[in-house]
Amino acid sequence: MTTTEPADASPHTQPGWWADRVGYQVYLPSFADGDGDGWGDLTGLRQRLDHLAWLGVDLVWLSPINPSPMADHGYDVADYCAVHPRLGTLADVDALLAEARDRGIAVLLDLVPNHTSVEHPWFQRARASRDDPYRDYYHWGDPAPDGGPPNNWVSVFGGPAWTFEPATGQYYLHLYAPEQPDLNWDNPAVAREFDAILRFWLDRGVAGFRIDVAHALKKAPGLPDQPEVPAAQQPARLDGRAADHYAIEHVHDREQPGLRDLHRRWRAVAEPYGALLLGEVYILDPQRLATYLRDQDGLHTGFWFGLVESEWDPAHLAAQLRAAEVTGPHLAWVQSSHDRRRAPTRYGGGQMGRRRALTLAVLTLGLPALPVLYQGDELGLEDGHVPPQAYQDPLARRTGGALSRDPARTPMPWEPGERLGFTDAEQAWLPWGGRTDADTVAVQRADPGSPLWAYRRLVALRGALSGLRGGPVRWHATTPPVVAYVRGDVLVAGNLEAHAATLALPAGRWTVRLRTQGSGAVEPDDVVEGALSLPGEHAAILQREVAAGEG
Ligand code: NOJ
């Protein structure tokens, strides 16, 4: 006999409510267009909330909704306490929060504190005069003796991290595009502004924030030059960053003293609301990452990008999964995002890529604290096709398409047809991406063997199996082919190699609650004992049977 308990459906009221839930990233410009202008928006999202409820996710993170000239598609904010007119209104936010709450879904906003837009009134004032009180909201530096930038820092998007401002004769710092000047977090006024921004949205009922660039807000005093990396030691893979960004060692522009104090400050603001702080702390060393993610203060949880930065390499992937041993139960598990190639593409594409991504999804869906799907993961989507003349991403434009985030951002395919059910407009802001009917939500919903049904079953099991909630992870097999762990009465196993393999099971009888089959999944409920056979690149979730008299 096996036991199933319903998941607690309470909305975000209890402290720690996010633990062992399932999150979903909505990249708003590409999710659903409600007003027919070719851009996704809040109305479109509201119209599609039932998809998220059907999928079973508990929490949605929205990419930035604020007014923005869209130099970096919303990550250049011109007003933190308003909504971009193209995306909706404050009333739409209120309606979204209420409608999401009715479906048991909490909503996180994207907070972008490292930089503003050049069009933010603070920067408009700051750039106009050296004496303006807002000048010190940003980092300024005198030209070097040759007239060049004040130091050798390089932007994540390539090129100098400094732009000259002729009106006042100094350079301003931007770790990203020139349209994204970095805020000076040594200025207490900046911290006070953000306390108020957080409260503004928390008072409206948002459940917390995904915090952009949470690792680089503080810079080293005096902004010293950074050491150069010898050419031979520069990485072969660019991971979405420009090559010159890797030619210097980033020892002064990230993970600086005082960073945790900022996180703590936000935690103190968020705590009375029971709100979640989910950091984009881009640190690929679990030991260092762990120091920012804590039970008592700082950020509650942070993305683990070990999988996002990986190709299909079984031993490497197995090691990335075990990051949780170091960080404790604080990781948000992601395989794809709006910033990197989609997982099925990275893993080789086609059925193979989809099957591999699903295998890893099974392995992460059982881990604490928070797996987060990127829109389209549930459809097994690969990258969309975006021809060079259609590039929108500033990174693509700067690198001639060598590094483009556009393919991961093409419109969500809802229905077969020219416009994918995404919009009524002739064109969307990005090309359609070359989606097939089989990629769409409508077609996959009608096919129980589809990726969509597989992800739905997986999300439902996470809620239904009490063993997957709260308890520690005990690794049962850590080296490929099969990687497996036990949580409570549940065993999660994935074969990362291409050949079939067998896993010796802990004692007892085990019910197979889910087995992947290609890029779909079934719930066979057969019982195994002693050993589990898994075809190459497939996964399963097992539940220990309660012996007669035990229960
Ligand atoms: C991370 C965001 O995910 C990315 O899209 C953006 O370009 C940078 N931060 C800068 O805000």
Side-chain angles (χ1 to χ4, degrees), residues 28 42 62-70 73-88 90 93 109-113 115 117 120 194 197 200-201 209:
L28 206 54
L42 292 165
L62 296 190
S63 56
I65 61 169
N66 308 112
S68 160
M70 296 281 182
H73 297 110
Y75 288 96
D76 47 325
V77 174
D79 180 351
Y80 287 94
C81 295
V83 179
H84 193 304
R86 198 188 275 159
L87 302 176
L90 277 175
V93 174
L109 295 186
D110 211 316
L111 184 74
V112 188
H115 40 264
S117 160
H120 196 291
F194 272 82
I197 291 163
F200 175 86
W201 293 108
F209 301 93

Side-chain angles (χ1 to χ4, degrees), residues 72 75 115 157 176 210 212-213 280 338-339 405 409:
D72 189 18
Y75 288 96
H115 40 264
F157 293 162
Y176 292 84
R210 175 266 189 190
D212 194 54
V213 194
E280 187 211 25
H338 64 296
D339 285 335
R405 299 173 297 178
R409 299 175 175 184

Side-chain angles (χ1 to χ4, degrees), residues 81-170:
C81 295
V83 179
H84 193 304
R86 198 188 275 159
L87 302 176
T89 62
L90 277 175
D92 291 330
V93 174
D94 293 341
L96 170 70
L97 295 177
E99 289 163 13
R101 197 177 308 119
D102 288 347
R103 291 165 175 81
I105 298 174
V107 177
L108 300 192
L109 295 186
D110 211 316
L111 184 74
V112 188
N114 181 65
H115 40 264
T116 68
S117 160
V118 280
E119 291 188 15
H120 196 291
W122 301 337
F123 190 72
Q124 293 292 313
R125 296 266 309 259
R127 78 186 326 178
S129 157
R130 288 196 189 199
D131 301 324
D132 193 282
Y134 286 97
R135 183 79 171 178
D136 199 30
Y137 271 41
Y138 297 88
H139 294 280
W140 297 91
D142 289 328
D146 66 355
N151 70 18
N152 70 346
W153 293 14
V154 174
S155 129
V156 175
F157 293 162
W162 294 93
T163 290
F164 188 64
E165 180 57 60
T168 53
Q170 282 188 310

Side-chain angles (χ1 to χ4, degrees), residues 6 51 82 95 134 147 149 167 219 254 263 381 410 424 450 544:
H51 169 70
Y134 286 97
K219 280 77 182 175
R254 59 184 62 165
H263 297 167
L381 288 187
T410 59
D424 291 333
S450 66
R544 191 195 296 271

